[in-house]
Amino acid sequence: MAVDNASYLMQFVDETSFYNRIVLSHLLPASLWEPLPHFLQTWLRNYLAGNLLYFISGFLWCFYIYHLKLNVYLPQDAIPTRKAMLLQIHVAMKAMPCYTLLPTVSEYMIESGWTRCYSRIGELSWILYFVSIATYLVLVEFGIYWMHRELHDIKPLYKHLHATHHIYNKQNTLSPFAGLAFHPVDGILQALPHVIALFIVPIHFTTHLGLLFMEAIWTANIHDCIHGNIWPVMGAGYHTIHHTTYKHNYGHYTIWMDWMFGSLKDPLLEDVDNRDISKKAE
């Protein structure tokens, strides 16, 4: 039985080694990464892949909304300055080595058999596969909501950690590059529910990695200030309100947690309220 379990866990090691080879062999000379221990190879792969994802998604999205679609989604005066975006990149780059340590540690725990991760989709039926993803995402949404809310409500945490992200508190200071511009500990705390969920619900290994790295794209999206108005998605319109009021819209993927716990503020209603205030002022 112990041999079978060790053989099963080796599937995870083989899979992470495969991903390491794919990324590292295309980006670095073999002499720089092959001598490294498996754990460091995995961290290096996550670090390089995280940087590529951050810069490629950020630059493409900025090019699209600020140049190709100038004045379609945002007026000229709402576009953040180059200085603001460079500051966001600087903050994100300082934190990236720590951010990418989290998926590296989670992969180590999976390889060690400590979690409920499974290696092959075929181990469960397709119905259970999608049910497990849905359950995983609900747990992650719940965890991120309360982690984010406590980073605001517990004043020392806000002052020493989360305030780094909230210096971007106006529409013309937010950009896709602000998505990862956090204090490193703050960024890890908000991603931690992805790892905690591994111990609660069975989840496919590669699916977990994909969802974790999709965070970089999602956080870029919710910091572009464009309200997509797709119910029940927690789009950028909602998150922009969060950056200006500091006490609404703590959710991540959806508005459901904010609706359940009384912190939801709808950007469309906000626009109506602002128009009413303007009319009264006239």
Side-chain angles (χ1 to χ4, degrees):
M1 188 70 179
V3 174
D4 290 342
N5 186 55
S7 177
Y8 181 77
L9 293 178
M10 275 304 298
Q11 293 182 43
F12 294 119
V13 177
D14 291 342
E15 200 165 343
T16 53
S17 297
F18 173 68
Y19 297 144
N20 291 347
R21 286 194 301 273
I22 288 177
V23 174
L24 298 178
S25 65
H26 286 86
L27 298 176
L28 294 173
S31 59
L32 290 181
W33 64 272
E34 284 186 346
L36 296 175
H38 178 72
F39 183 88
L40 289 181
Q41 286 186 17
T42 302
W43 172 80
L44 187 58
R45 178 251 294 170
N46 286 330
Y47 176 72
L48 294 175
N51 275 282
L52 284 173
L53 195 59
Y54 175 72
F55 281 109
I56 291 173
S57 61
F59 277 118
L60 287 178
W61 197 232
C62 287
F63 180 72
Y64 180 74
I65 60 178
Y66 300 152
H67 296 281
L68 291 183
K69 295 294 182 178
L70 181 63
N71 293 321
V72 174
Y73 296 118
L74 295 170
Q76 179 76 44
D77 60 359
I79 295 176
T81 64
R82 184 177 300 175
K83 180 180 179 181
M85 289 190 280
L86 287 174
L87 175 60
Q88 291 159 13
I89 292 170
H90 175 69
V91 173
M93 287 300 96
K94 285 199 303 181
M96 190 66 78
C98 296
Y99 291 163
T100 50
L101 189 61
L102 184 66
T104 307
V105 171
S106 79
E107 289 178 53
Y108 174 79
M109 292 189 294
I110 291 165
E111 293 167 358
S112 301
W114 301 346
T115 72
R116 300 193 66 188
C117 252
Y118 59 94
S119 177
R120 302 287 182 262
I121 291 179
E123 293 176 37
L124 299 181
S125 68
W126 280 104
I127 292 175
L128 287 177
Y129 170 73
F130 286 111
V131 168
S132 69
I133 291 176
T135 307
Y136 174 91
L137 289 174
V138 169
L139 289 172
V140 168
E141 181 76 12
F142 179 84
I144 291 178
Y145 173 87
W146 280 107
M147 187 68 75
H148 190 184
R149 186 162 180 169
E150 293 310 304
L151 281 163
H152 278 266
D153 291 347
I154 301 174
K155 298 308 177 188
L157 290 182
Y158 181 83
K159 179 181 178 181
H160 297 292
L161 299 179
H162 200 50
T164 300
H165 184 64
H166 270 274
I167 62 171
Y168 318 111
N169 56 8
K170 297 183 179 66
Q171 187 178 39
N172 63 359
T173 63
L174 285 165
S175 84
F177 289 114
L180 292 181
F182 291 91
H183 186 286
V185 176
D186 183 2
I188 288 174
L189 286 174
Q190 293 200 59
L192 197 58
H194 277 279
V195 179
I196 294 172
L198 296 176
F199 295 88
I200 301 171
V201 61
I203 188 75
H204 177 239
F205 175 50
T206 304
T207 301
H208 158 69
L209 291 183
L211 290 171
L212 196 54
F213 275 88
M214 280 297 291
E215 289 287 314
I217 297 174
W218 182 252
T219 55
N221 171 66
I222 63 173
H223 288 88
D224 65 13
C225 299
I226 300 170
H227 182 45
N229 195 23
I230 304 173
W231 187 91
V233 175
M234 175 65 74
Y238 288 97
H239 198 69
T240 303
I241 289 175
H242 172 74
H243 272 264
T244 54
T245 70
Y246 295 75
K247 58 183 180 180
H248 299 98
N249 304 346
Y250 300 101
H252 193 55
Y253 298 119
T254 74
I255 64 173
W256 288 335
M257 294 298 161
D258 285 284
W259 175 75
M260 287 173 60
F261 297 111
S263 54
L264 183 65
K265 194 176 183 78
D266 192 311
L268 297 180
L269 296 178
E270 175 87 347
D271 289 343
V272 171
D273 292 343
N274 289 339
R275 285 197 293 270
D276 289 344
I277 291 171
S278 297
K279 287 179 181 178
K280 288 179 183 177
E282 291 172 359

